[in-house]
Amino acid sequence: MLASTRTLHHRGPDQQGVYENQWVSLGAVRLKIIDLGTGNQPVTSPDGRATIVFNGEVYNYKELRRDLQAKGARFLTQSDTEVVLAAFRAWGTQAFAKLRGMFAFAIWDETEEALHIVRDRMGIKPLYYFRKGGDLYFASELKALLAHPEIPRRLCPAGLSYFLRLNYIPQPYTLVEGIHKLTPGCYLRWAKGELTQETYWRLSLQPKPASLPQATEELELLLTASIREHLISDVPLGVWASGGLDSTTILHYASDFVPHLKTFSVSFAGRTFDESPWFREVAKHYGTDHHEFDVNPDAGLADAIEQMAYFSDEPSADAGALPVWFLSRLSRQHVTVALSGEGADELFAGYQTYLADRYAGYARFVPSPLRRLALAAAERLPVSDDKISFEYKLKRFLAGSLLSPAEAHLYWNGTNSATTAAALAPGIAPAKLAELYRGNAAGTLNAHLACDQLHYLPEDILYKCDRMSMAHSLEVRPPFLDHRIVEFAARLPEDFKLRKGSLKFVLRELMKDKLPASVLQRPKQGFDIPTHHWFRTILKPLLLATVNEKAVQASGVFAWPAVSNLLEQHLERRANHGYSLWGLLTLFLWMKQWKIEIPITS
């Protein structure tokens, strides 16, 4: 247990502890945010009948504490962890739905000789588990499980098939056979070798009639309440500020409660997608104590990418993980907590892919042979070094228009087509992408939003944010993902989210008279790196040293001719395969870091 707990030191460098009895061994690490003097973990109830290990924050813990005290509960600390334990003692599993926050925790109930492990509604905090016979192993990160000699390190074929198509591995899969992610909004109950999974919250996108003024008024009330709660902290905190709509909205309301906030940004000086003019204007507008870091070829990119192989747990095929790494490192030099704008795009339809979904509906009226001819013509366009150029988007859109609506939406956000994925790993069964669309949603746009909220958001966006920030012992909080805001967004009519060409329409309506005009008018920039260009220049040595014929053939999984073809086309500027190559790079670095057992059989 001590060895596994030590692997999570970066998540909690301030205190570590272990609880053991004949049934369970529980380890915890703590990053002190609330109640710095007490609240060390594990926490045991005053009567000794229950013990908790906890990761994350519960923002309504003071409210729950008052309710519990009225029922006779007594507390020895001022921490939210002890409140969660007392809530479980008072209300059982019904307590989970009373919690507002981001969390993953385990509670041992001595009376019932049962263990409950719980994950928050949106999957902000991670939770992995592995079952062997009647034994259950669980942890916040894969590395804590891999430290245990009983747990094998075999590559999971299903996880790999999803990774090659999506850039991420949707729950419950991972890239290690037998290890699963606990589904957000669920809990596991283990008792004497028997394991069951239950749901305490389920996402449902079902629009209800509403007026736009009522919607903006309710959204403002919810945002104000959520941001106020997310600012609770006994340590310094700040805001990640890109100068875009989402982060500036957070900053706008946070400034009402905390004067002279610290803000943090990363720039890409000299690049067309550099956001520094906008975030500097925002910092000036709100009078923040602003800090920024320029991500450039001299920033130690290759070294950071290799370090990420350890902290990522699973390979992060989202190249945006790299600037988040540097942003987290910068922030931790000044604060322990940062607020971010994650989640708004998935709740209110903020990505260009939602526009592509709509435009593709019109494009499909054009006979498919004509669209194939258009794609063939587009393939002749000169390849651009821009991060996401017009020619790249045009080729991607035309190729996606030839797919089903669901597969096209995933393709626009993913890396490889089904054909490319099959060529890269010919022995792996194709990913069952249709399974990702099993959410409860009414309407075409809502179906895509539900898929993204259930999978893309927790397993890509929140995943990279959690791993890159916790690698630097920084806690990042996303106020948009308060479940009351999530449920509000789920009730909105679809045209309150996407109206004509306006993304996040209701949020823009709310903020149109509050934010600087430049924030509302500027085009959305993806938060990642110029992958295509850097793989032809500064990152080329790392790419070729990692993804080469020897490594590919040794894997026993990948076909060198297909991998070689991607490399040659990209390096010779015949195509932009930067995102596919980023996925392969991070995958091979990860397999080497964790000594993953290969070859595999499907």
Side-chain angles (χ1 to χ4, degrees):
M1 175 53 67
L2 287 174
S4 292
T5 303
R6 280 196 291 267
T7 66
L8 301 178
H9 176 78
H10 54 285
R11 297 188 75 91
D14 299 329
Q15 183 260 324
Q16 296 84 42
V18 171
Y19 169 87
E20 294 182 310
N21 63 24
Q22 64 174 330
W23 291 106
V24 298
S25 295
L26 303 176
V29 298
R30 186 182 179 211
L31 179 64
K32 293 184 178 181
I33 305 291
I34 294 172
D35 186 13
L36 307 185
T38 59
N40 285 347
Q41 294 192 41
V43 174
T44 298
S45 60
D47 62 9
R49 293 187 177 273
T51 299
I52 184 172
V53 289
F54 179 90
N55 175 37
E57 303 290 347
V58 170
Y59 303 117
N60 63 329
Y61 77 99
K62 291 184 178 179
E63 172 188 328
L64 294 173
R65 181 186 175 106
R66 288 192 294 269
D67 293 343
L68 291 162
Q69 285 176 324
K71 296 171 68 71
R74 56 190 178 92
F75 296 91
L76 302 177
T77 76
Q78 298 297 315
S79 70
D80 57 343
T81 303
E82 190 181 17
V83 171
V84 174
L85 181 60
F88 176 77
R89 297 299 309 284
W91 299 307
T93 57
Q94 293 182 0
F96 307 151
K98 296 179 183 290
L99 307 178
R100 291 201 300 270
M102 56 179 193
F103 48 79
F105 61 85
I107 296 178
W108 169 250
D109 186 335
E110 185 72 27
T111 303
E112 295 188 0
E113 294 182 343
L115 179 75
H116 291 80
I117 62 174
V118 189
R119 192 177 183 195
D120 67 63
R121 295 169 179 84
M122 300 304 293
I124 304 170
K125 286 299 175 183
L127 189 51
Y128 295 89
Y129 68 95
F130 176 85
R131 187 180 186 185
K132 183 177 182 181
D135 295 332
L136 177 68
Y137 304 85
F138 66 93
S140 290
E141 296 189 4
L142 268 178
K143 61 180 65 65
L145 293 178
L146 296 179
H148 199 289
E150 294 291 321
I151 298 179
R153 302 184 179 201
R154 292 190 294 269
L155 194 65
C156 174
L160 179 61
S161 68
Y162 279 111
F163 177 81
L164 291 174
R165 293 299 309 279
L166 299 173
N167 262 353
Y168 59 87
I169 306 100
Q171 53 79 20
Y173 302 101
T174 71
L175 274 177
V176 181
E177 201 162 42
I179 298 180
H180 303 285
K181 299 166 188 162
L182 180 57
T183 302
C186 292
Y187 66 90
L188 294 177
R189 184 181 188 273
W190 178 96
K192 299 179 181 178
E194 296 296 321
L195 186 66
T196 57
Q197 179 170 314
E198 300 290 342
T199 299
Y200 69 90
W201 185 86
R202 182 175 281 108
L203 180 67
S204 175
L205 277 72
Q206 299 293 330
K208 296 182 179 180
S211 73
L212 189 58
Q214 288 174 332
T216 55
E217 180 180 357
E218 184 176 357
L219 179 56
E220 181 164 47
L221 291 173
L222 290 170
L223 274 172
T224 302
S226 176
I227 292 169
R228 181 192 295 115
E229 289 184 351
H230 280 69
L231 290 168
I232 297 172
S233 176
D234 293 332
V235 295
L237 103 177
V239 176
W240 281 359
S242 68
L245 174 61
D246 306 338
S247 65
T248 310
T249 296
I250 300 298
L251 177 58
H252 175 83
Y253 289 105
S255 297
D256 290 339
F257 303 110
V258 180
H260 310 299
L261 275 163
K262 296 181 185 294
T263 52
F264 305 94
S265 311
V266 292
S267 61
F268 293 86
R271 307 294 303 197
T272 58
F273 50 86
D274 178 41
E275 298 181 305
S276 58
W278 291 286
F279 63 62
R280 287 171 187 162
E281 179 184 350
V282 166
K284 182 179 179 181
H285 180 84
Y286 288 98
T288 70
D289 177 11
H290 185 64
H291 305 267
E292 61 185 74
F293 180 85
D294 186 57
V295 181
N296 59 66
D298 298 321
L301 305 178
D303 180 62
I305 292 168
E306 292 186 274
Q307 289 185 66
M308 285 161 53
Y310 174 80
F311 289 105
S312 285
D313 259 357
E314 297 179 85
S316 178
D318 185 336
L322 188 58
V324 175
W325 170 277
F326 289 110
L327 180 59
S328 299
R329 189 179 70 178
L330 168 69
S331 303
R332 191 60 178 93
Q333 295 170 8
H334 304 274
V335 298
T336 310
V337 177
L339 272 59
S340 76
E342 267 83 12
D345 288 320
E346 291 79 9
L347 297 185
F348 300 109
Y351 295 126
Q352 295 290 324
T353 50
Y354 302 121
L355 287 174
D357 294 326
R358 178 163 293 182
Y359 298 152
Y362 303 128
R364 291 188 180 98
F365 286 108
V366 177
S368 58
L370 292 180
R371 281 179 277 140
R372 289 191 177 91
L373 285 174
L375 176 59
E379 294 290 355
R380 299 175 183 175
L381 291 173
V383 170
S384 170
D385 274 340
D386 284 349
K387 186 174 66 172
I388 304 179
S389 63
F390 171 77
E391 60 87 14
Y392 179 85
K393 289 190 287 187
L394 178 62
K395 295 172 186 176
R396 201 81 177 174
F397 174 78
L398 290 171
S401 75
L402 297 168
L403 306 173
S404 69
E407 191 170 4
H409 178 77
L410 296 170
Y411 173 72
W412 286 319
N413 244 1
T415 51
N416 301 300
S417 66
T419 302
T420 301
L424 289 171
I428 303 299
K432 299 176 181 178
L433 298 184
E435 290 185 351
L436 305 185
Y437 271 81
R438 290 182 176 176
N440 183 13
T444 302
L445 173 61
N446 278 337
H448 296 312
L449 290 170
C451 178
D452 288 344
Q453 290 175 39
L454 287 166
H455 300 291
Y456 177 67
L457 177 61
E459 310 303 351
D460 185 311
I461 301 300
L462 297 175
Y463 170 86
K464 74 181 177 186
C465 182
D466 176 84
R467 297 308 189 282
M468 298 301 96
S469 61
M470 294 310 300
H472 297 90
S473 304
L474 175 76
E475 178 173 280
V476 176
R477 301 174 176 176
F480 276 110
L481 294 181
D482 181 303
H483 75 275
R484 297 168 298 183
I485 298 177
V486 175
E487 292 169 352
F488 161 80
R491 297 191 304 268
L492 289 176
E494 287 187 328
D495 73 337
F496 282 24
K497 303 168 188 177
L498 175 57
R499 181 170 294 189
K500 296 182 180 178
S502 181
L503 298 162
K504 290 182 289 196
F505 181 73
V506 68
L507 183 60
R508 291 183 186 278
E509 281 294 298
L510 170 62
M511 305 308 295
K512 66 182 180 182
D513 297 323
K514 298 178 175 64
L515 303 184
S518 62
V519 173
L520 295 162
Q521 295 169 3
R522 58 165 291 199
K524 182 176 179 60
Q525 298 281 358
F527 193 60
D528 56 16
I529 62 175
T531 316
H532 306 309
H533 176 58
W534 281 358
F535 273 149
R536 296 184 181 112
T537 53
I538 187 65
L539 294 181
K540 180 179 176 180
L542 175 64
L543 175 64
L544 296 182
T546 306
V547 185
N548 53 48
E549 184 174 6
K550 180 179 178 181
V552 170
Q553 291 182 343
S555 75
V557 178
F558 291 95
W560 172 243
V563 176
S564 176
N565 186 50
L566 283 183
L567 287 166
E568 289 177 5
Q569 286 188 1
H570 185 81
L571 296 177
E572 294 172 5
R573 298 180 57 82
R574 288 185 280 130
N576 275 331
H577 295 309
Y579 298 124
S580 296
L581 293 174
W582 177 272
L584 292 175
L585 171 68
T586 57
L587 177 64
F588 276 78
L589 287 172
W590 174 80
M591 289 193 296
K592 179 181 178 181
Q593 169 71 54
W594 296 109
K595 299 179 174 60
I596 299 302
E597 297 175 9
I598 45 182
I600 61 176
T601 56
S602 57

Coordinates of all heavy atoms in Angstrom, one line a residue, residues 97-145:
A97 N -25.7 12.0 -4.0 CA -26.5 13.0 -4.8 C -26.6 14.3 -4.1 O -27.0 15.3 -4.8 CB -27.9 12.4 -5.1
K98 N -26.3 14.4 -2.9 CA -26.3 15.7 -2.2 C -25.0 16.5 -2.3 O -25.0 17.7 -2.0 CB -26.6 15.5 -0.7 CG -27.9 14.8 -0.3 CD -28.1 14.6 1.2 CE -29.4 13.9 1.5 NZ -30.5 14.8 1.3
L99 N -24.0 15.9 -2.8 CA -22.7 16.5 -2.9 C -22.6 17.4 -4.2 O -22.9 16.9 -5.3 CB -21.6 15.5 -2.9 CG -21.6 14.5 -1.8 CD1 -20.4 13.5 -2.0 CD2 -21.5 15.2 -0.4
R100 N -22.1 18.6 -4.1 CA -21.7 19.4 -5.2 C -20.2 19.6 -5.3 O -19.6 20.1 -4.3 CB -22.4 20.8 -5.1 CG -23.9 20.8 -5.2 CD -24.4 22.2 -5.6 NE -24.1 23.2 -4.6 CZ -24.8 23.6 -3.6 NH1 -26.0 22.9 -3.4 NH2 -24.5 24.5 -2.8
G101 N -19.7 19.1 -6.4 CA -18.2 19.3 -6.4 C -17.6 18.4 -7.4 O -18.2 17.8 -8.3
M102 N -16.3 18.2 -7.3 CA -15.5 17.3 -8.1 C -14.8 16.3 -7.1 O -14.1 16.8 -6.1 CB -14.4 18.0 -8.9 CG -13.5 18.9 -8.2 SD -12.3 19.7 -9.3 CE -11.2 20.4 -8.1
F103 N -15.0 15.0 -7.3 CA -14.5 14.1 -6.2 C -14.4 12.7 -6.7 O -15.0 12.3 -7.7 CB -15.4 14.2 -5.0 CG -16.9 14.0 -5.3 CD1 -17.4 12.8 -5.6 CD2 -17.7 15.1 -5.4 CE1 -18.8 12.7 -5.9 CE2 -19.0 15.0 -5.7 CZ -19.6 13.8 -5.9
A104 N -13.5 12.0 -6.1 CA -13.4 10.5 -6.2 C -13.0 10.1 -4.8 O -12.1 10.6 -4.2 CB -12.4 10.1 -7.2
F105 N -13.8 9.2 -4.2 CA -13.5 8.8 -2.8 C -13.9 7.4 -2.5 O -14.7 6.8 -3.3 CB -14.2 9.8 -1.8 CG -15.7 9.9 -1.8 CD1 -16.5 8.9 -1.1 CD2 -16.3 10.9 -2.5 CE1 -17.8 9.0 -1.2 CE2 -17.7 11.0 -2.6 CZ -18.5 10.0 -1.9
A106 N -13.4 6.9 -1.4 CA -13.8 5.5 -1.0 C -14.1 5.6 0.5 O -13.4 6.2 1.3 CB -12.6 4.5 -1.2
I107 N -15.2 4.9 0.9 CA -15.6 4.8 2.3 C -15.7 3.4 2.7 O -16.4 2.6 2.1 CB -17.0 5.5 2.5 CG1 -16.8 7.0 2.2 CG2 -17.4 5.3 3.9 CD1 -18.1 7.8 2.4
W108 N -15.0 3.0 3.8 CA -15.1 1.7 4.3 C -16.1 1.7 5.5 O -16.0 2.5 6.4 CB -13.8 1.2 4.9 CG -13.9 0.0 5.7 CD1 -13.7 -0.2 7.0 CD2 -14.2 -1.4 5.2 NE1 -13.9 -1.4 7.5 CE2 -14.2 -2.2 6.4 CE3 -14.5 -1.9 4.0 CZ2 -14.5 -3.6 6.3 CZ3 -14.8 -3.2 3.9 CH2 -14.8 -4.1 5.1
D109 N -17.1 0.9 5.4 CA -18.2 0.8 6.4 C -17.9 -0.5 7.2 O -18.2 -1.6 6.8 CB -19.5 0.7 5.7 CG -20.7 0.8 6.7 OD1 -20.5 0.4 7.9 OD2 -21.8 1.2 6.3
E110 N -17.4 -0.3 8.4 CA -17.1 -1.4 9.3 C -18.3 -2.2 9.7 O -18.2 -3.4 9.8 CB -16.4 -0.9 10.6 CG -15.8 -1.9 11.5 CD -14.6 -2.7 10.9 OE1 -13.9 -2.0 10.1 OE2 -14.4 -3.8 11.3
T111 N -19.4 -1.5 9.9 CA -20.6 -2.2 10.3 C -21.1 -3.2 9.3 O -21.4 -4.4 9.6 CB -21.8 -1.2 10.6 OG1 -21.3 -0.2 11.6 CG2 -23.0 -1.9 11.1
E112 N -21.1 -2.8 8.0 CA -21.6 -3.7 7.0 C -20.4 -4.5 6.3 O -20.7 -5.3 5.4 CB -22.3 -2.9 5.9 CG -23.6 -2.3 6.4 CD -24.4 -1.6 5.2 OE1 -23.9 -1.7 4.1 OE2 -25.5 -1.1 5.5
E113 N -19.2 -4.2 6.7 CA -18.0 -4.7 6.1 C -18.1 -4.6 4.6 O -18.0 -5.5 3.8 CB -17.9 -6.2 6.5 CG -17.6 -6.4 8.0 CD -17.3 -7.9 8.3 OE1 -17.7 -8.7 7.5 OE2 -16.8 -8.1 9.4
A114 N -18.4 -3.3 4.2 CA -18.6 -3.0 2.8 C -17.8 -1.7 2.4 O -17.6 -0.8 3.3 CB -20.0 -2.7 2.5
L115 N -17.3 -1.7 1.2 CA -16.5 -0.5 0.7 C -17.3 0.1 -0.5 O -17.8 -0.6 -1.4 CB -15.2 -1.0 0.1 CG -14.3 0.1 -0.5 CD1 -13.7 0.9 0.6 CD2 -13.2 -0.5 -1.3
H116 N -17.5 1.4 -0.4 CA -18.1 2.2 -1.5 C -17.0 3.1 -2.1 O -16.4 3.8 -1.4 CB -19.2 3.0 -1.0 CG -20.4 2.2 -0.6 ND1 -20.5 1.6 0.7 CD2 -21.6 1.9 -1.2 CE1 -21.6 1.0 0.8 NE2 -22.3 1.2 -0.3
I117 N -16.9 3.0 -3.5 CA -16.0 4.0 -4.2 C -16.9 4.8 -5.1 O -17.7 4.2 -5.9 CB -14.8 3.3 -4.8 CG1 -15.2 2.3 -5.9 CG2 -13.9 2.6 -3.8 CD1 -14.0 1.8 -6.7
V118 N -16.7 6.1 -5.2 CA -17.6 7.0 -5.8 C -16.9 8.0 -6.7 O -15.8 8.5 -6.3 CB -18.4 7.8 -4.7 CG1 -19.5 8.6 -5.4 CG2 -18.9 6.8 -3.6
R119 N -17.5 8.3 -7.9 CA -16.9 9.3 -8.8 C -17.9 10.4 -9.0 O -19.1 10.1 -9.1 CB -16.5 8.6 -10.1 CG -15.6 9.5 -11.0 CD -15.1 8.8 -12.2 NE -14.3 9.7 -13.0 CZ -13.9 9.5 -14.3 NH1 -14.4 8.4 -14.9 NH2 -13.1 10.3 -14.9
D120 N -17.4 11.6 -9.2 CA -18.4 12.8 -9.4 C -19.1 12.6 -10.7 O -18.8 11.8 -11.5 CB -17.6 14.1 -9.3 CG -16.6 14.3 -10.4 OD1 -17.1 14.4 -11.6 OD2 -15.4 14.4 -10.2
R121 N -20.1 13.5 -10.8 CA -21.1 13.3 -11.9 C -20.5 13.5 -13.3 O -20.9 12.8 -14.2 CB -22.2 14.4 -11.7 CG -23.1 14.2 -10.5 CD -23.9 15.4 -10.3 NE -24.8 15.4 -9.1 CZ -24.5 15.7 -7.9 NH1 -23.2 16.0 -7.6 NH2 -25.4 15.6 -6.9
M122 N -19.5 14.4 -13.4 CA -19.0 14.7 -14.8 C -17.7 14.1 -15.0 O -17.1 14.3 -16.1 CB -18.9 16.2 -14.9 CG -20.3 16.9 -14.8 SD -21.5 16.3 -16.0 CE -20.8 16.8 -17.6
G123 N -17.1 13.4 -14.1 CA -15.8 12.7 -14.3 C -14.7 13.7 -14.2 O -13.6 13.5 -14.9
I124 N -14.8 14.7 -13.4 CA -13.7 15.7 -13.3 C -12.5 15.1 -12.6 O -11.4 15.3 -13.0 CB -14.2 16.9 -12.4 CG1 -15.4 17.5 -13.1 CG2 -13.1 18.0 -12.4 CD1 -16.1 18.6 -12.2
K125 N -12.8 14.2 -11.6 CA -11.7 13.5 -10.9 C -11.7 12.1 -11.4 O -12.7 11.4 -11.5 CB -11.8 13.6 -9.4 CG -11.5 15.0 -8.8 CD -10.0 15.3 -9.1 CE -9.7 16.7 -8.7 NZ -8.3 17.1 -9.1
P126 N -10.5 11.5 -11.6 CA -10.4 10.1 -12.1 C -10.5 9.1 -11.0 O -10.3 9.3 -9.9 CB -9.0 10.1 -12.7 CG -8.2 11.1 -11.8 CD -9.2 12.1 -11.4
L127 N -10.9 7.9 -11.5 CA -11.0 6.7 -10.6 C -10.9 5.4 -11.4 O -11.8 5.2 -12.2 CB -12.3 6.8 -9.7 CG -12.4 5.7 -8.6 CD1 -11.2 5.8 -7.7 CD2 -13.7 6.0 -7.8
Y128 N -9.9 4.7 -11.2 CA -9.6 3.4 -11.8 C -9.8 2.2 -10.9 O -9.6 2.4 -9.7 CB -8.2 3.4 -12.4 CG -7.8 4.4 -13.4 CD1 -7.3 5.6 -13.1 CD2 -7.9 4.0 -14.8 CE1 -7.0 6.6 -14.1 CE2 -7.6 5.0 -15.8 CZ -7.1 6.2 -15.4 OH -6.8 7.1 -16.4
Y129 N -10.2 1.1 -11.5 CA -10.3 -0.1 -10.6 C -9.9 -1.4 -11.4 O -10.0 -1.4 -12.6 CB -11.7 -0.2 -10.0 CG -12.8 -0.5 -10.9 CD1 -13.2 -1.8 -11.1 CD2 -13.4 0.5 -11.6 CE1 -14.3 -2.1 -12.0 CE2 -14.5 0.3 -12.5 CZ -14.9 -1.1 -12.7 OH -15.9 -1.3 -13.5
F130 N -9.5 -2.4 -10.6 CA -9.2 -3.7 -11.2 C -9.7 -4.8 -10.3 O -9.5 -4.7 -9.1 CB -7.6 -3.8 -11.3 CG -7.1 -5.1 -11.8 CD1 -7.1 -5.4 -13.2 CD2 -6.7 -6.1 -10.9 CE1 -6.6 -6.6 -13.6 CE2 -6.2 -7.3 -11.4 CZ -6.2 -7.6 -12.7
R131 N -10.3 -5.8 -10.8 CA -10.8 -6.8 -10.0 C -10.1 -8.1 -10.3 O -9.9 -8.5 -11.5 CB -12.3 -7.0 -10.3 CG -13.0 -8.0 -9.3 CD -14.5 -8.1 -9.6 NE -15.1 -9.0 -8.6 CZ -16.4 -9.3 -8.7 NH1 -17.1 -8.9 -9.7 NH2 -16.9 -10.1 -7.8
K132 N -9.7 -8.8 -9.3 CA -9.1 -10.2 -9.4 C -9.7 -11.1 -8.4 O -9.5 -11.0 -7.2 CB -7.6 -10.1 -9.2 CG -6.9 -11.4 -9.5 CD -5.4 -11.3 -9.3 CE -4.7 -12.6 -9.6 NZ -3.2 -12.5 -9.5
G133 N -10.5 -12.0 -8.9 CA -11.2 -12.9 -8.0 C -12.2 -12.1 -7.1 O -13.0 -11.3 -7.6
G134 N -12.1 -12.2 -5.8 CA -12.9 -11.5 -4.9 C -12.2 -10.2 -4.5 O -12.8 -9.5 -3.6
D135 N -11.0 -9.9 -5.0 CA -10.3 -8.7 -4.5 C -10.5 -7.5 -5.5 O -10.7 -7.7 -6.7 CB -8.8 -9.0 -4.5 CG -8.4 -10.0 -3.4 OD1 -9.1 -10.1 -2.4 OD2 -7.4 -10.7 -3.6
L136 N -10.6 -6.3 -4.9 CA -10.8 -5.1 -5.7 C -9.6 -4.1 -5.4 O -9.3 -3.9 -4.2 CB -12.1 -4.5 -5.3 CG -12.4 -3.1 -6.0 CD1 -12.7 -3.3 -7.5 CD2 -13.6 -2.5 -5.3
Y137 N -9.0 -3.6 -6.5 CA -8.0 -2.6 -6.4 C -8.5 -1.4 -7.0 O -9.1 -1.4 -8.1 CB -6.7 -3.1 -7.1 CG -6.2 -4.5 -6.6 CD1 -6.7 -5.7 -7.1 CD2 -5.2 -4.6 -5.7 CE1 -6.2 -6.9 -6.7 CE2 -4.7 -5.8 -5.2 CZ -5.2 -7.0 -5.8 OH -4.8 -8.2 -5.4
F138 N -8.2 -0.2 -6.4 CA -8.7 1.0 -7.0 C -7.7 2.1 -6.7 O -6.9 2.1 -5.7 CB -10.0 1.4 -6.5 CG -10.1 1.8 -5.1 CD1 -10.0 3.1 -4.6 CD2 -10.3 0.8 -4.1 CE1 -10.0 3.4 -3.3 CE2 -10.3 1.1 -2.8 CZ -10.2 2.4 -2.4
A139 N -7.7 3.2 -7.6 CA -6.7 4.3 -7.4 C -7.1 5.5 -8.2 O -7.9 5.3 -9.2 CB -5.3 3.9 -7.7
S140 N -6.6 6.7 -7.9 CA -6.8 7.8 -8.7 C -6.1 7.8 -10.0 O -6.5 8.5 -11.0 CB -6.4 9.1 -7.9 OG -7.3 9.3 -6.9
E141 N -5.0 7.1 -10.1 CA -4.2 7.0 -11.3 C -3.8 5.6 -11.6 O -3.6 4.8 -10.7 CB -3.0 7.9 -11.2 CG -3.3 9.4 -11.1 CD -2.1 10.3 -11.2 OE1 -1.0 9.8 -11.5 OE2 -2.3 11.5 -11.1
L142 N -3.6 5.3 -12.9 CA -3.1 4.0 -13.3 C -1.8 3.6 -12.6 O -1.6 2.4 -12.2 CB -2.9 3.9 -14.8 CG -4.1 3.5 -15.6 CD1 -3.7 3.5 -17.1 CD2 -4.5 2.1 -15.3
K143 N -0.9 4.5 -12.5 CA 0.4 4.2 -11.9 C 0.4 3.6 -10.5 O 1.2 2.8 -10.2 CB 1.4 5.4 -12.0 CG 0.9 6.6 -11.2 CD 1.9 7.7 -11.3 CE 2.0 8.3 -12.7 NZ 0.7 8.9 -13.1
A144 N -0.6 4.0 -9.7 CA -0.8 3.4 -8.4 C -1.2 2.0 -8.5 O -0.8 1.1 -7.6 CB -1.8 4.2 -7.6
L145 N -2.0 1.6 -9.5 CA -2.4 0.2 -9.7 C -1.2 -0.6 -10.2 O -1.0 -1.8 -9.8 CB -3.6 0.1 -10.6 CG -4.9 0.7 -10.1 CD1 -6.0 0.6 -11.1 CD2 -5.3 0.0 -8.8

